[in-house]
């Protein structure tokens, strides 16, 4: 049986920019849709099909995001069969609003560490390879904020992918992780993300 490798405990991304002052706060649903759009722009750059939001996966992602934010660190155990990416932003301003693209941009940075000539799993690129894994079809998005006793705000973003990527076999990586088609960036980190209009079949 293939081994499924998950990147939830990679702790490379602890600080993030926030949405510009005055930016409208997004609802959880709006944040999920904007995150999906950012994910799909990056997937398109690597010839992967767009993902559809899934209610069940999003419910699971929210539960894990709440626990991650409360702990201020990633959960060490995975209790589900899906792929997962995790992100934590720490801010001294508890009213700061995280832009949806920030987590996606942090995960996509792993593309710089991925060797397309020698495909396979690496911890440094694990977030990226799950992000653009071609065989994945559905996405769940969860966001949670916890304000600690010292006033710091911990914002956790968890994305869950089905079917899971990062199947640890070089031929699987060769088929599922394609080089970028363009040098244009797929995520803008300096501006707040906005979601595209929904398709009627978006939530499953």
């Amino acid at each position: 049986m293939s081994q499924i490798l998950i990147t939830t405990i990679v702790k490379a991304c602890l600080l993030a920019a926030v949405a510009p002052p005055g930016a409208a706060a997004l609802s959880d649903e709006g944040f999920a849709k904007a995150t999906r759009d950012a994910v799909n722009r990056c997937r398109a750059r690597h010839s992967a099909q767009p993902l559809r939001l899934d209610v069940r996966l999003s419910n699971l992602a929210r539960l894990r995001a709440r626990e991650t934010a409360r702990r201020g660190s990633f959960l060490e155990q995975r209790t589900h069969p899906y792929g997962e990416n995790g992100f934590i932003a720490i801010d001294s301003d508890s009213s700061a609003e995280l832009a949806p693209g920030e987590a996606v941009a942090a995960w996509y940075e792993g593309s710089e560490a991925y060797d397309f000539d020698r495909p396979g799993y690496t911890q440094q690129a694990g977030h990226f390879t799950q992000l653009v894994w071609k065989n994945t079809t559905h996405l769940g998005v969860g966001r949670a904020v916890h304000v600690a006793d010292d006033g710091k705000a911990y914002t956790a973003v968890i994305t869950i992918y089905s079917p899971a990527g990062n199947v640890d076999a070089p031929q699987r990586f060769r088929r599922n992780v394609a080089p970028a088609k363009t040098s244009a960036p797929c995520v803008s980190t300096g501006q707040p993300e906005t979601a595209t209009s929904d398709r009627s079949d978006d939530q499953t």
Side-chain angles (χ1 to χ4, degrees), residues 150-198:
D150 61 4
K152 290 182 179 178
Y154 292 78
T155 301
V157 179
I158 301 293
T159 47
I160 292 181
Y161 305 81
S162 179
N166 287 346
V167 180
D168 193 21
Q171 66 272 21
R172 298 283 188 94
F173 277 83
R174 193 178 300 279
R175 289 198 300 265
N176 284 281
V177 183
K181 298 187 296 183
T182 174
S183 60
C186 60
V187 181
S188 172
T189 60
Q191 299 295 330
E193 302 286 333
T194 56
T196 59
S197 58
D198 257 348

Side-chain angles (χ1 to χ4, degrees), residues 104-124:
V104 180
W107 298 327
Y108 190 79
E109 286 179 0
S111 63
E112 299 175 4
Y114 189 73
D115 187 349
F116 291 93
D117 294 325
R118 299 179 63 185
Y121 176 81
T122 66
Q123 189 178 55
Q124 293 79 12

Side-chain angles (χ1 to χ4, degrees), residues 18 31 46 69 79 86-87 92 103 116 141 155 164 174 179 183-184 188:
V18 296
F31 186 91
H46 292 267
T79 57
F87 177 88
S92 58
F116 291 93
V141 180
T155 301
R174 193 178 300 279
S183 60
S188 172

Side-chain angles (χ1 to χ4, degrees), residues 10-195:
V10 176
K11 301 182 180 180
C13 312
L14 294 180
L15 295 176
V18 296
L26 286 172
S27 65
D28 286 343
E29 182 180 9
F31 186 91
K33 291 174 181 176
T35 299
R36 170 208 60 193
D37 291 347
V39 166
N40 284 339
R41 286 193 295 272
C42 291
R43 289 177 61 82
R45 192 170 188 252
H46 292 267
S47 306
Q49 66 181 330
L51 302 184
R52 295 171 58 189
L53 277 176
D54 182 277
V55 171
R56 183 168 48 90
L57 296 179
S58 289
N59 287 340
L60 176 59
R62 280 192 290 272
L63 287 174
R64 291 181 68 78
R66 289 180 194 132
E67 182 62 16
T68 298
R70 186 188 66 80
R71 288 162 51 110
S73 62
F74 294 112
L75 304 179
E76 299 295 334
Q77 276 195 315
R78 177 176 61 92
T79 57
H80 60 74
Y82 311 112
E84 182 174 327
N85 279 344
F87 177 88
I88 297 177
I90 306 171
D91 200 291
S92 58
D93 180 3
S94 61
S95 65
E97 181 77 12
L98 184 73
E102 294 297 332
V104 180
W107 298 327
Y108 190 79
E109 286 179 0
S111 63
E112 299 175 4
Y114 189 73
D115 187 349
F116 291 93
D117 294 325
R118 299 179 63 185
Y121 176 81
T122 66
Q123 189 178 55
Q124 293 79 12
H127 285 108
F128 160 70
T129 49
Q130 173 61 87
L131 189 70
V132 302
W133 195 266
K134 287 185 176 182
N135 194 50
T136 298
T137 58
H138 288 77
L139 175 72
V141 180
R143 172 189 62 171
V145 180
H146 173 74
V147 180
D149 293 339
D150 61 4
K152 290 182 179 178
Y154 292 78
T155 301
V157 179
I158 301 293
T159 47
I160 292 181
Y161 305 81
S162 179
N166 287 346
V167 180
D168 193 21
Q171 66 272 21
R172 298 283 188 94
F173 277 83
R174 193 178 300 279
R175 289 198 300 265
N176 284 281
V177 183
K181 298 187 296 183
T182 174
S183 60
C186 60
V187 181
S188 172
T189 60
Q191 299 295 330
E193 302 286 333
T194 56

